[in-house]
Amino acid sequence: QVQLVESGGGLVQPGGSLRLSCAASGFTFSVYAMTWYRQAPGKERELVASISSGGVKTNYADSVKGRFTISRDNAKNMVYLQMNSLKPEDTAVYFCKANRYTPPNSYDYWGQGTQFTVSS
């Protein structure tokens, strides 16, 4: 049974830091790229950061570059999102997604999301 379980949400003050975690199980984690998405109230889901299966390549949305860092531990089947210098506009539900593209098939698994709020 495939599972992605996010954790680490909560309430943080502006300028603070937080680390989100995503625990994966039920599939071969090390061959999947991992991506963090977020969805704020009334807005579309947007890509925040992604990391390749081996952890070598990362990609970030312009809005979080220099503040967020995505990482993974393939031995523990975990992916992380370290978030620093948080802003109120970072408030959202954060989701992790696993993706493997093996032409012509694409395999996507989503977590249920974790909410955090940046507010004073």
Side-chain angles (χ1 to χ4, degrees):
Q1 180 183 359
V2 173
Q3 276 195 314
L4 289 171
V5 180
E6 301 95 337
S7 61
L11 176 64
V12 182
Q13 291 189 340
S17 297
L18 194 70
R19 189 178 81 159
L20 300 182
S21 301
C22 174
S25 60
F27 62 100
T28 307
F29 178 77
S30 61
V31 301
Y32 281 72
M34 296 299 297
T35 303
W36 284 98
Y37 287 81
R38 67 185 180 187
Q39 188 165 20
K43 295 187 177 181
E44 293 187 353
R45 193 172 296 190
E46 63 174 351
L47 184 149
V48 176
S50 63
I51 188 167
S52 60
S53 58
V56 174
K57 296 182 181 179
T58 58
N59 181 54
Y60 296 92
D62 288 343
S63 58
V64 306
K65 279 182 182 176
R67 300 189 298 121
F68 290 13
T69 302
I70 188 171
S71 62
R72 66 189 295 160
D73 185 337
N74 285 349
K76 296 182 179 179
N77 287 2
M78 296 288 295
V79 63
Y80 307 99
L81 186 67
Q82 177 66 43
M83 304 179 291
N84 300 324
S85 302
L86 285 165
K87 304 175 182 180
E89 51 263 43
D90 294 318
T91 296
V93 178
Y94 283 69
F95 302 87
C96 66
K97 186 189 85 170
N99 170 260
R100 184 182 183 193
Y101 180 55
T102 307
N105 300 309
S106 181
Y107 303 91
D108 291 341
Y109 305 126
W110 287 88
Q112 82 291 345
T114 185
Q115 165 79 50
F116 87 88
T117 301
V118 182
S119 175
S120 54

